[in-house]
Amino acid sequence: MRLPALAQRLRLSLPRLPLPNLTLPRVSLGRVSPSFRPLRRPRLSRPDGLTLARWGLVLLAGLFLGGIIHILVVMRVPSMVHQTAHARVAEFGPDGSFNRLPDSLPGAEPLPLLDPQMLHAACRFDLDTGPVRIMAALPPPFWSFALFNAQGEAIYSLNDRTSGNGGTLDVLVLTSAQLSQVRENPPIGLEDMIVIETAEDRGYALLRAFGGDPVRRAITEEALAAARCTGLEESGVIVTLPAATGTTPAGQ
């Protein structure tokens, strides 16, 4: 039997099966099928005038509240500040004289930044009542003197090596107006005094001397107790500052 006839018979004997209906998405360059379209991003709407006004009010309210808090904090600062050194000196004795300060111990310092190896004495003064004369004779090996204003700021200082008088201290503290009057009517011994001109009316003087062993400490204690911080008249130099009428000062 020939092969073409056999193939014809087999084709007639096999049943015809239906082919499945396959539908494929159509893809073309530059074009995507509708079933595969990407999601669109939402468009951002521009803020209108009402939205901007609301944000402006919120910002102004925040600034206003911050300003109120700042003012309240500034007003509360003075009540939270610790007592000044000038005010603390008044706790150790009357004004116009040197008062011995307690020894400086850890956690119990009478004034800030005091050396525990030194002995200290302080005197508060007020130049509204006139110039102040400070006198002391302190023993070696070391002593120092410092002048502070009412805010605790140092305005003058010296020690035994820079005083020029060895262990003797003789200082006159006065304002510019008082200095002009003193120059017109100088007191006796003014040329030997250290004249300190200051714009501060109130302040305090601080003496520091090395304590050392018990014998030296006792000598230093006596020297600090003998130190003087008084007006010109009380210091033994009688000087009457000229009045506005131009009267002649006494003691000249």
Side-chain angles (χ1 to χ4, degrees):
M1 182 178 295
R2 294 180 179 180
L3 291 177
L6 179 60
Q8 184 67 22
R9 289 182 179 180
L10 291 174
R11 185 184 303 171
L12 296 175
S13 62
L14 291 176
R16 293 183 179 181
L17 298 176
L19 295 176
N21 186 13
L22 299 177
T23 303
L24 298 177
R26 293 178 297 176
V27 180
S28 61
L29 296 176
R31 188 175 179 181
V32 182
S33 175
S35 59
F36 291 95
R37 289 179 181 177
L39 296 177
R40 295 182 179 180
R41 295 180 179 179
R43 295 181 179 179
L44 299 177
S45 59
R46 295 181 179 179
D48 53 5
L50 183 59
T51 303
L52 292 176
R54 289 176 179 175
W55 280 107
L57 290 176
V58 172
L59 180 60
L60 289 177
L63 292 176
F64 181 73
L65 181 61
I68 293 178
I69 295 175
H70 175 73
I71 293 174
L72 293 177
V73 171
V74 171
M75 294 177 64
R76 286 284 299 169
V77 166
S79 62
M80 295 184 291
V81 174
H82 296 290
Q83 191 179 21
T84 62
H86 181 263
R88 295 196 63 182
V89 171
E91 301 176 359
F92 306 111
D95 296 351
S97 62
F98 276 105
N99 303 297
R100 177 74 166 86
L101 301 184
D103 293 342
S104 183
L105 300 176
E109 298 86 354
L111 294 179
L113 304 177
L114 294 185
D115 189 344
Q117 300 297 325
M118 307 289 285
L119 304 181
H120 303 83
C123 168
R124 294 206 329 170
F125 61 85
D126 189 351
L127 298 181
D128 288 339
T129 59
V132 174
R133 187 178 183 185
I134 298 172
M135 296 179 292
L138 300 172
F142 177 80
W143 60 265
S144 67
F145 161 79
L147 205 65
F148 298 85
N149 59 16
Q151 289 74 38
E153 301 170 345
I155 57 179
Y156 189 87
S157 65
L158 57 84
N159 56 40
D160 57 326
R161 295 170 184 155
T162 59
S163 64
N165 293 325
T168 303
L169 178 68
D170 195 352
V171 174
L172 182 63
V173 185
L174 34 62
T175 63
S176 300
Q178 293 168 349
L179 178 60
S180 300
Q181 295 174 340
V182 167
R183 284 175 176 172
E184 294 177 1
N185 301 274
I188 299 174
L190 179 63
E191 63 277 4
D192 298 326
M193 302 179 191
I194 300 174
V195 179
I196 302 176
E197 179 185 359
T198 177
E200 306 288 343
D201 293 332
R202 297 183 304 117
Y204 69 95
L206 181 65
L207 292 176
R208 291 174 276 206
F210 181 69
D213 56 81
V215 176
R216 189 183 304 275
R217 181 185 178 94
I219 298 174
T220 305
E221 291 276 10
E222 293 180 1
L224 291 176
R228 304 181 65 181
C229 174
T230 59
L232 284 175
E233 295 183 0
E234 298 174 355
S235 65
V237 179
I238 307 301
V239 174
T240 303
L241 297 180
T245 57
T247 56
T248 303
Q252 298 295 325

